[in-house]
Amino acid sequence: MDSDRTITVSKHEVVLDRLFAEDVWELAFGDNAFENDYTDADVLHTLKEFSKKALAWDTMWEEHQPNDVDEDTQADYDLREKMETYLRSCK
């Protein structure tokens, strides 16, 4: 690891890769988030919320996929179309 990319808290504590930390902060709060006053707890809380929402999304997506047992309903089809529209808007 490059010395300009690392932050050493003390000789007895973990070395942090600054670029990794900046990327994690930006996942939680957007561009330049590392330079703002977000705490580790803020970032962890936000990422946990994102994770819960992603799990809910994936669960809903899977429940509305056609399968061999049940007939594909118009309501499921419409919901999948709406979800795909949301996904495209996130890219």
Side-chain angles (χ1 to χ4, degrees), residues 5 16-35 38-48 50:
R5 285 182 53 176
L16 175 70
D17 182 331
R18 181 180 170 95
L19 294 180
F20 176 78
E22 287 177 3
D23 287 344
V24 171
W25 260 243
E26 287 185 5
L27 281 174
F29 295 107
D31 290 342
N32 298 315
F34 194 74
E35 305 303 324
Y38 298 112
T39 66
D40 295 353
D42 294 335
V43 172
L44 184 59
H45 174 76
T46 299
L47 293 178
K48 283 182 177 180
F50 289 167

Side-chain angles (χ1 to χ4, degrees), residues 54-85:
L55 179 58
W57 175 276
D58 286 347
T59 301
M60 184 170 63
W61 177 263
E62 288 299 319
E63 288 177 1
H64 293 283
Q65 294 302 309
N67 57 46
D68 295 335
V69 179
D70 298 326
E71 186 177 317
D72 191 21
T73 66
Q74 186 64 40
D76 284 345
Y77 176 81
D78 292 343
L79 183 59
R80 285 195 311 273
E81 287 292 310
K82 183 180 275 188
M83 291 176 76
E84 288 172 7
T85 300

